[in-house]
Amino acid sequence: MIYQLTYTSEAIETLADDDIYAILKSSEQNNHQLKISGCLLLYNQKFYQILEGNEALVLELYEQIKRDPRHYNVTLTATSYAKEPLYKDWGMIFQDVTTSATDPEDVQQFERTLLMLESLTEKTTESEIWFWREIKKELVKKKVIVH
Ligand SMILES: Cc1cc2nc3c(=O)[nH]c(=O)nc-3n(C[C@H](O)[C@H](O)[C@H](O)COP(=O)(O)O)c2cc1C
């Protein structure tokens, strides 16, 4: 069984592009080695991540990530098991619309992409449901989704 874990956190205000590249680089190297896949998103100064793989390895990585000073308020939202890894081909999607992309059109484009991903992704496990629910909550807050 594949163990899945999803959490949210808040990026420190001084988070720079260099920090983002460093996180991405470590993630690509380590996760590949540990056979952990997932998806990481930075939107509106908040991180959303889903990690999946061997249970002990995922939990160990999560403990390490939790101690990272580049974010705080790390909150576990859900854990679940899946028959197969669901985010194997995603790589770690990483988009920062709060610091580097100041062009409102870029932000809007990104929000449209998020909405599309959210609607196209088949959500079969608790972790997936919660990963996308938290992102959707932020889109509603920013009035990208109007009820
Ligand atoms: C929001 C966030 C997500 C992260 N995700 C991962 C991850 O998926 N894999 C990983 O190895 N490190 C991740 N990191 C970085 C780790 O906290 C840590 O810096 C890194 O694993 C150290 O490994 P290194 O010494 O090989 O660079 C993340 C950090 C943050 C702030």
Side-chain angles (χ1 to χ4, degrees), residues 7-13 15 20 23 39-49 70-75 77 93-99 110 114 131 133-142:
Y7 72 85
T8 60
S9 66
E10 291 178 55
I12 52 166
E13 260 181 49
L15 192 84
I20 294 168
I23 292 170
C39 179
L40 174 65
L41 187 86
L42 174 59
Y43 172 56
N44 217 17
Q45 208 66 20
K46 289 201 183 91
F47 285 111
Y48 303 84
Q49 190 170 33
R70 291 169 289 202
H71 64 166
Y72 59 99
N73 277 352
V74 183
T75 311
T77 31
I93 287 187
F94 208 105
Q95 184 85 20
D96 175 19
V97 292
T98 43
T99 54
F110 176 65
L114 268 187
F131 175 71
R133 189 175 287 174
E134 291 294 325
I135 293 168
K136 221 170 157 178
K137 223 160 77 183
E138 197 64 26
L139 289 166
V140 170
K141 214 164 88 186
K142 281 206 69 194

Side-chain angles (χ1 to χ4, degrees), residues 7 9 23 26-27 30-31 40 47 49 51 61 64-65 68 70-71 92:
Y7 72 85
S9 66
I23 292 170
S26 323
S27 303
N30 301 335
N31 299 16
L40 174 65
F47 285 111
Q49 190 170 33
L51 294 166
L61 178 62
Q64 188 176 318
I65 293 172
D68 198 305
R70 291 169 289 202
H71 64 166
M92 283 280 163

Side-chain angles (χ1 to χ4, degrees), residues 115-133:
L115 276 176
M116 200 174 73
L117 281 176
E118 194 277 329
S119 64
L120 290 177
T121 312
E122 203 187 334
K123 296 164 226 27
T124 52
T125 65
E126 280 292 296
S127 301
E128 277 188 289
I129 292 166
W130 278 96
F131 175 71
W132 289 105
R133 189 175 287 174

